[in-house]
Amino acid sequence: MNSPNDSPPLQRLTQTLRENVSRPQDVKRVWIPKPGSKEQRPLGVPTGRDRVVQTALRNVIEPIFERDFAEQSYGFRPGRGCKDALRRVDQLMRSGYRPVVDADLKSDFDTIPPEGLMERIKEKRGDRRDHLARDGTTGLGELSR
């Protein structure tokens, strides 16, 4: 029986990644309404091919970075979400803590300089190969959420 990994498109993709010649395809940009506001926010929809690469990359680097996150961090982490954060705030308030600060930084990820971020990623990976970085991108599209 053939595995999905034996498919010609996946074999070609694997080869382009190994040869470091893979380039992301254009992302479809759509604007979606922000609830309770007249504003809209951009949403980038990658191609299926690029989504496969992004998922594979995340599966490799997420465990490397996850171990360094603070216990009280909940955003964009596996197995954690806003309801977990709310439960923790509730626990703290019930145990006597009172000050609560809520902040939503508009376009926060858009302000991170990609060069510095990619340097930190290379340091974390423990090597100087540049397979993930090309001119401030992951090779899978712009560094943005």
Side-chain angles (χ1 to χ4, degrees):
M1 178 181 279
N2 291 342
S3 86
N5 296 338
D6 294 335
S7 74
L10 193 53
Q11 288 175 351
R12 282 192 301 276
L13 177 58
T14 300
Q15 189 64 30
T16 63
L17 290 168
R18 283 191 176 136
E19 294 171 358
N20 201 24
V21 295
S22 178
R23 297 292 181 262
Q25 297 172 331
D26 290 339
V27 172
K28 179 181 179 182
R29 176 72 63 198
V30 294
W31 292 87
I32 60 173
K34 288 179 123 181
S37 170
K38 292 183 179 181
E39 292 184 53
Q40 293 187 323
R41 68 178 186 91
L43 178 66
V45 182
T47 63
R49 174 191 169 278
D50 287 344
R51 187 71 182 118
V52 167
V53 175
Q54 291 169 359
T55 300
L57 179 61
R58 187 199 70 223
N59 289 342
V60 170
I61 68 172
E62 188 174 78
I64 296 167
F65 286 88
E66 178 61 26
R67 64 178 168 239
D68 290 336
F69 281 117
E71 183 62 31
Q72 68 271 15
S73 296
Y74 289 88
F76 302 105
R77 294 189 60 196
R80 293 176 175 231
C82 62
K83 290 184 180 180
D84 298 309
L86 290 172
R87 279 191 282 276
R88 181 65 179 139
V89 167
D90 185 56
Q91 289 172 346
L92 291 169
M93 291 182 73
R94 288 175 189 269
S95 66
Y97 287 87
R98 287 291 168 242
V100 175
V101 177
D102 183 19
D104 185 9
L105 304 175
K106 185 175 183 176
S107 301
D108 188 44
F109 286 108
D110 298 341
T111 64
I112 298 172
E115 300 80 15
L117 178 60
M118 293 313 298
E119 282 303 313
R120 297 286 305 270
I121 289 172
K122 285 192 275 183
E123 288 170 16
K124 191 63 146 164
R125 285 190 347 242
D127 66 37
R128 294 291 170 211
R129 290 173 295 154
D130 206 9
H131 294 285
L132 297 180
R134 291 186 196 97
D135 301 322
T137 69
T138 61
L140 308 173
E142 292 299 318
L143 286 172
S144 63
R145 283 206 190 258

